[in-house]
Amino acid sequence: MNNLTKLLLIVLIFFCFYSCKDKETPIGELEEISIDLKNNSNTYNEEDWLTVTNKLNEVENELEKYKPEYTDEELEKIGYLKGVCATYLFKQNLKTTSRQIHDAIIMLKGSLNGVFETVKEDSTYWNL
């Protein structure tokens, strides 16, 4: 075997092992996501949250494929991991909503100030 053939064989074997999935794969991926959320979610930016959400959707699709094969213990573990992930997603959604409400209140305050200043400064405003 020449070097090119050996390299191609190694790459082929690598991709075979890498792409082979079983029912444990999505559980492991879900566990990795939950650990990452626990350890790093405080530093996530919008792109990170979008990536995590997409990964969770992909894992959910994989979990559905194997759902009939899971034992009660595996289903419980999946539920637990989903709960962990949902908690961090909820916290982020709450922070985002809180920020949006804050911004809306500040904008409303500015709008009201603009209206009151305009009415106060324009003595002809009420002349209809």
Side-chain angles (χ1 to χ4, degrees), residues 5 13 18 27 30-31 44 48 53-54 56 58 61 64 72 77 81 87 91 116 119 121 125:
T5 307
I13 291 170
Y18 180 75
I27 297 173
L30 186 60
E31 190 164 23
Y44 280 7
D48 294 329
T53 302
N54 289 336
L56 283 170
E58 290 171 12
N61 290 335
E64 279 300 311
D72 289 347
K77 182 176 183 177
L81 294 170
T87 302
K91 179 181 177 184
F116 292 138
V119 170
E121 291 174 359
Y125 180 81

Side-chain angles (χ1 to χ4, degrees), residues 3 36 44 49 51 68 81 96 100 102 116:
N3 287 340
D36 188 57
Y44 280 7
W49 284 108
T51 300
L81 294 170
T96 300
Q100 290 170 341
H102 173 267
F116 292 138

Side-chain angles (χ1 to χ4, degrees), residues 5-106:
T5 307
K6 288 178 185 177
L7 179 63
L8 288 174
L9 184 60
I10 290 170
V11 169
L12 182 65
I13 291 170
F14 172 77
F15 281 115
C16 180
F17 282 115
Y18 180 75
S19 65
C20 294
K21 290 186 176 184
D22 62 6
K23 71 177 190 166
E24 294 296 321
T25 302
I27 297 173
E29 291 172 350
L30 186 60
E31 190 164 23
E32 288 175 14
I33 293 169
S34 69
I35 291 168
D36 188 57
L37 283 167
K38 181 179 181 183
N39 294 333
N40 302 312
S41 65
N42 287 335
T43 61
Y44 280 7
N45 59 32
E46 273 187 52
E47 186 178 328
D48 294 329
W49 284 108
L50 184 59
T51 300
V52 164
T53 302
N54 289 336
K55 283 182 184 177
L56 283 170
N57 288 334
E58 290 171 12
V59 169
E60 181 63 35
N61 290 335
E62 287 295 312
L63 287 168
E64 279 300 311
K65 290 179 189 176
Y66 297 108
K67 192 171 185 176
E69 298 176 33
Y70 290 129
T71 64
D72 289 347
E73 291 80 18
E74 289 168 325
L75 289 171
E76 185 175 348
K77 182 176 183 177
I78 291 167
Y80 173 83
L81 294 170
K82 283 183 176 184
V84 170
C85 293
T87 302
Y88 287 101
L89 289 172
F90 177 75
K91 179 181 177 184
Q92 176 57 24
N93 287 333
L94 191 59
K95 285 168 71 174
T96 300
T97 302
S98 174
R99 191 176 319 115
Q100 290 170 341
I101 290 170
H102 173 267
D103 292 349
I105 290 171
I106 297 300

